[in-house]
Amino acid sequence: MNGVDPGRLDDQQLMKELETIHRTRHDTLLHASNDALRAHNDRMAQLEGEYLRRHPRRPIATGRTREGARERDCAQE
């Protein structure tokens, strides 16, 4: 495993790690080796999984649901 076990990070450290990995995602996808992309995918899944474990009732934006997207599409027509 690369990096600290996400379960050992405090909330602030976890958010910093998530922000960093999301910021580097695009360049990793476009320019990294297959091994680096695989490691990036694994680490992102670990970090996001830990966030979801800690925040199972996180607020969901209405516009980020299928129903919300349909309403947005109807409003634009």
Side-chain angles (χ1 to χ4, degrees), residues 56-75:
R57 300 185 194 282
R58 70 194 194 288
I60 306 296
T62 307
R64 301 295 299 180
T65 64
R66 287 183 185 198
E67 185 176 326
R70 285 187 199 109
E71 288 176 10
R72 189 174 55 242
D73 289 343
C74 290

Side-chain angles (χ1 to χ4, degrees), residues 7-60:
R8 297 183 64 195
L9 299 171
D10 65 30
D11 286 345
Q12 185 176 357
Q13 292 168 322
L14 179 61
M15 289 307 295
K16 184 177 179 184
E17 290 286 320
L18 282 165
E19 290 167 3
T20 298
I21 203 158
H22 285 125
R23 187 176 58 251
T24 61
R25 180 65 182 167
H26 189 72
D27 282 341
T28 303
L29 175 64
L30 295 179
H31 305 294
S33 68
N34 289 339
D35 287 342
L37 181 58
R38 194 172 304 110
H40 199 272
N41 289 342
D42 291 346
R43 182 65 174 167
M44 184 179 293
Q46 293 165 357
L47 293 167
E48 289 178 346
E50 180 62 22
Y51 179 86
L52 292 172
R53 186 189 69 75
R54 293 182 192 187
H55 304 281
R57 300 185 194 282
R58 70 194 194 288
I60 306 296

